[in-house]
Amino acid sequence: MDVKVAHGLQLSAVVQHEKIGRRPRAGRFDMSREPQRLRLFVSTRLSSTMTRRRTTAVEVSSSYDKISASILESGRVRSPLDEELILKNRSQEIQPYLNGRCIYLVGMMGSGKTTVGKIMSQVLDYSFCDSDTLVEEEVGGDSVADIFKHHGEPFFRNKETEVLRKLSLLHQLVISTGGGAVIRPINWKYIHMGVSVWLDVPLEALAQRIAAVGTNSRPLLHYEAGDPYSRAFMRLSAIFEERGEAYANADARVSLKNIAIKLGKRDVSELSPTDIAIEALEQIDNFLKGEGGSYAEC
């Protein structure tokens, strides 16, 4: 089924996919946004429908279909098949109660919103988009770093707000928001049209990830001195001090520390993106149960 735009709005989102392999299982995140693999364009002149990718995220024999997620999660060590089945069960549990609402992932830069979001979109049969990529397209394809450099942060934030406003009129999307999208109260008006999930990653882990790939695509991290890790950690600490309370406005929180403890991992770096996606679906489930009395009693 196509995702339809609200009546009267002339908005189109065209999704271009390249063939994407299996979801990542290792405990590493792809820190690049990879706009060439999935690009979503916003225009005010095109048609008012968005064609979304239809995929079957998991294929298992019928003998496994009724295995409950609680049974699969009884052990701390999960096989890839376990992860696929848990994802399938979680998605099936929440889909009727999401009722097509978008899922907005919020969190610090480098928290894995794009990687986790793509996994969630596949298993929910949603489409995926990155709000930063949409801003880049609105400005003619310039990167976020170039937009900051040539136009300034206020210009970028205004474009970001407009993109979020348009996305709030759509359905069946998993949306990776920019790390700073939470600082404007008006953005929360649009984000709360769907279900918001905060990916809460320890600052030390964020600094390690970003230091490993560089800060060229992170305009807010260019101005600190020192080695890559120290530079990233110092700046991330200052940014989190400004945004921490705003992230807490999300409907659900996914704490990587808590996941690591639950799964018996020594460090959050040992978690796979699928581990985090499973927890995100569980926390969305918890939010939806608290949202409606009839669901809570099921």
Side-chain angles (χ1 to χ4, degrees):
M1 182 184 297
D2 291 338
V3 180
K4 296 186 177 180
V5 182
H7 177 69
L9 180 70
Q10 303 235 334
L11 175 69
S12 174
V14 181
V15 180
Q16 296 181 350
H17 294 274
E18 292 183 7
K19 185 177 180 182
I20 298 176
R22 297 182 62 83
R23 289 191 290 269
R25 303 187 198 283
R28 295 182 180 178
F29 287 87
D30 180 0
M31 299 294 296
S32 65
R33 294 192 176 90
E34 297 186 348
Q36 71 278 10
R37 298 183 69 189
L38 186 147
R39 305 183 73 185
L40 193 151
F41 303 88
V42 175
S43 171
T44 58
R45 294 185 297 276
L46 300 178
S47 63
S48 60
T49 62
M50 181 173 103
T51 302
R52 64 190 178 86
R53 179 186 180 197
R54 297 187 65 84
T55 61
T56 301
V58 182
E59 294 183 0
V60 295
S61 65
S62 59
S63 61
Y64 286 100
D65 285 345
K66 296 183 180 180
I67 299 178
S68 70
S70 60
I71 292 174
L72 291 171
E73 292 183 294
S74 60
R76 287 185 171 181
V77 178
R78 298 195 297 225
S79 71
L81 178 60
D82 287 346
E83 291 182 341
E84 299 284 0
L85 291 172
I86 295 168
L87 275 170
K88 180 181 178 182
N89 277 277
R90 287 278 182 255
S91 65
Q92 289 177 338
E93 288 170 3
I94 70 172
Q95 274 180 317
Y97 306 101
L98 274 174
N99 197 28
R101 279 180 289 179
C102 293
I103 295 173
Y104 293 81
L105 300 180
V106 304
M108 293 281 286
M109 63 183 78
S111 59
K113 299 185 292 289
T114 296
T115 304
V116 174
K118 288 180 179 179
I119 294 173
M120 294 174 66
S121 68
Q122 287 179 339
V123 75
L124 290 169
D125 198 21
Y126 272 29
S127 294
F128 172 84
C129 68
D130 183 315
S131 66
D132 280 352
T133 301
L134 295 182
V135 173
E136 290 172 345
E137 296 298 337
E138 285 278 281
V139 186
D142 289 345
S143 68
V144 171
D146 285 339
I147 295 171
F148 269 67
K149 180 179 179 180
H150 298 300
H151 303 282
E153 184 174 358
F155 175 88
F156 173 84
R157 297 299 174 199
N158 288 337
K159 290 292 185 181
E160 180 177 59
T161 295
E162 179 61 15
V163 163
L164 290 172
R165 182 190 70 79
K166 293 176 180 179
L167 289 172
S168 72
L169 299 168
L170 301 175
H171 295 85
Q172 293 177 295
L173 290 173
V174 176
I175 300 159
S176 170
T177 65
V182 298
I183 62 179
R184 282 191 170 185
I186 185 63
N187 291 347
W188 281 106
K189 173 185 174 181
Y190 304 132
I191 291 172
H192 280 316
M193 296 294 289
V195 178
S196 52
V197 180
W198 171 24
L199 299 188
D200 184 9
V201 183
L203 294 178
E204 297 84 357
L206 289 177
Q208 289 171 355
R209 293 178 187 176
I210 292 174
V213 299
T215 61
N216 290 337
S217 65
R218 312 286 178 178
L220 295 180
L221 297 182
H222 288 173
Y223 308 108
E224 298 290 342
D227 64 272
Y229 172 81
S230 298
R231 183 166 63 246
F233 182 79
M234 289 175 61
R235 186 61 182 137
L236 288 169
S237 298
I239 292 173
F240 185 78
E241 186 69 23
E242 299 170 359
R243 301 176 183 173
E245 291 185 4
Y247 289 132
N249 287 323
D251 299 317
R253 171 175 172 257
V254 174
S255 166
L256 269 65
K257 282 186 177 179
N258 290 346
I259 303 172
I261 293 171
K262 181 163 66 174
L263 297 180
K265 305 290 188 180
R266 293 173 298 177
D267 188 80
V268 299
S269 64
E270 297 180 9
L271 297 174
S272 71
T274 303
D275 290 329
I276 299 165
I278 290 170
E279 181 70 13
L281 293 174
E282 181 175 338
Q283 294 306 320
I284 292 172
D285 184 42
N286 291 339
F287 167 72
L288 293 172
K289 285 180 178 177
E291 189 181 46
S294 59
Y295 181 28
E297 293 173 2
C298 292

